[in-house]
Every structure is written in C-alpha cells, then in structure tokens.
Amino acid sequence: MTIHKEGYRTIIIALIVFLLIITILNVISPQQTYWHYALYVLAALTFGLIVRFFRLPERKAISENSKIISGADGTVVAIEEVEENEYLHQKCLLISVFMSVHNVHVNWYPVNGTVEYFKYHPGKFLVAWHPKSSTLNERTTVVIKTPESKQVLVRQIAGFVARRVVCYAKKGTNAVQGEQMGFIKFGSRVDHFIPIDAKVHVQLNDKVVGTQSVLASL
C-alpha cells in the first residue's frame, strides 16, 4: 500500500503544524508532564489518521464491458429511478455510494469507454447524504460512452468535511475500467447514473469496494 499523490501536501503541512505546536509547548513549558505526553499521543494518532486517509491500496480491478463496478469504497445509500437533467436528460438508475472518513477516497472509472462529457461545478458543502447535495455541493460530472454505446454518468460530490474534489477525466480521452478517475478529500459521495434497463446486483446499505464490487450489469 502506498500514499496517494493528492495527500503529499496535506501530510507535510500536518507534520509541520504538529511539530511546531510541540516545539512551542516545550519552549514555554520544558518540564515534561502528563499533558505533554497526552499531546504527543494525540498528535501521533491524528497524524496517523491523516496518513491513513490518503492510502492507495493495490488492487486488480474487474475488467468486463458488461459490468459496472463501484467507482468508490463505501456504503450504498441510494438505489432509485431518477431523471438525470444535466446531460443525459433521461430516466436512469441511480446508485449512490457514501464514503466515510474511514474509507479509501480514490475514485475509479466504473466502465470502459470514452469520456464524452466532463464538467466541474463549484458549490456548497452540505453533508453528503443531504438530498440536495447532488445539485448544490461542489461536484464533478463525467459521462462515459461504453464500447456498446451505453452512457454511464459518474458524479463526485464533496461533503461537509470534504473541501476539494479532484478529477482526472478529460473529454475525448479513454476511460479504462478500474483506473483512477479522481480523489475526494475527507468524506463524500459518488453517484452512478446507469441505464434504466441495467440489472442491479447490490442492495441498500451494502458495503462495496471500488474496482472490486459489481454494482450492475449492462
């Protein structure tokens, strides 16, 4: 397991801040007390959690054109028929995966194909499970056209804690199932808008693993 490139800056800043706080404390109060030891432990645990958040696991992704794999680690919080009005303008099946701070926050392409559409939307930072977070929060929208000319829309949505959505997709480039599509920092959601006739293989509250769990079949 390695550290994701999006975490380098945050980890270095956190390390500098913790070392600075500890140094100032020891200058002001050089005699070691239980409060000093408590601060050391707290700083070490917090720093460890930050490093863990940016972990990048090694996985061999499922690669099959007929399968739609999960684009994120997390919990399935919605499976419903909706009208997608940003780009597809048609009824779709929506499968939403919520990522807690304990999940890996890398996002992956759920299908093979060509990036047909990409757009970044600045916005608010409502909690990721809020009904309006998909239209009001900071987010990106990526549409992939599969080799069978099916369209799959993936939306990265920032949450209350998440303050930055990173997406590597570019219009006209190839999307390779299981390869990195982006990263969302600290708690968020990924929505998968898939064809209405797809066969769903997950249920509400299922735990899914990005690149490994099959959400549906085309």
Side-chain angles (χ1 to χ4, degrees):
M1 185 177 295
T2 57
I3 301 300
H4 197 279
K5 62 182 181 181
E6 299 297 340
Y8 294 159
R9 184 171 180 268
T10 301
I11 291 170
I12 292 172
I13 291 174
L15 180 61
I16 292 172
V17 169
F18 289 142
L19 291 176
L20 185 62
I21 291 173
I22 290 171
T23 301
I24 292 173
L25 174 65
N26 279 278
V27 169
I28 296 174
S29 177
Q31 184 175 351
Q32 299 299 295
T33 66
Y34 288 117
W35 290 108
H36 287 74
Y37 300 137
L39 177 64
Y40 301 155
V41 172
L42 179 62
L45 290 175
T46 304
F47 183 71
L49 289 174
I50 292 173
V51 173
R52 182 177 179 273
F53 176 85
F54 290 101
R55 66 195 185 278
L56 176 60
E58 293 183 11
R59 296 175 183 169
K60 185 176 181 180
I62 294 173
S63 183
E64 190 175 338
N65 286 344
S66 64
K67 305 296 184 185
I68 300 172
I69 61 175
S70 181
D73 287 13
T75 304
V76 177
V77 293
I79 303 173
E80 56 187 345
E81 186 176 309
V82 298
E83 189 79 24
E84 201 296 304
N85 292 316
E86 179 180 343
Y87 182 80
L88 300 178
H89 301 290
Q90 62 186 25
K91 285 187 177 180
C92 301
L93 288 175
L94 167 64
I95 302 178
S96 294
V97 176
F98 172 73
M99 296 178 285
S100 75
V101 293
H102 301 294
N103 292 124
V104 172
H105 271 59
V106 183
N107 301 142
W108 296 272
Y109 288 111
V111 292
N112 290 313
T114 303
V115 177
E116 188 176 70
Y117 173 82
F118 168 77
K119 187 169 184 179
Y120 166 77
H121 302 267
K124 298 181 179 180
F125 298 97
L126 303 173
V127 289
W129 57 85
H130 192 286
K132 292 189 176 182
S133 65
S134 60
T135 55
L136 296 180
N137 279 19
E138 177 184 350
R139 62 199 182 279
T140 69
T141 302
V142 178
V143 178
I144 304 161
K145 190 171 186 179
T146 72
E148 294 77 24
S149 296
K150 300 283 188 178
Q151 291 172 309
V152 173
L153 186 150
V154 186
R155 182 169 291 144
Q156 298 172 287
I157 303 170
F160 178 73
V161 180
R163 295 287 160 163
R164 188 183 177 206
V165 176
V166 179
C167 189
Y168 309 134
K170 293 182 180 180
K171 184 178 178 180
T173 59
N174 289 333
V176 179
Q177 194 173 40
E179 286 199 356
Q180 289 185 41
M181 189 188 81
F183 195 99
I184 313 179
K185 295 186 178 182
F186 302 110
S188 39
R189 197 176 96 209
V190 172
D191 287 350
H192 308 74
F193 293 82
I194 65 178
I196 197 72
D197 59 351
K199 181 180 179 181
V200 177
H201 297 299
V202 292
Q203 298 180 345
L204 283 177
N205 300 316
D206 278 359
K207 303 295 183 182
V208 293
V209 179
T211 76
Q212 308 294 296
S213 301
V214 177
L215 299 182
S217 299
L218 292 170

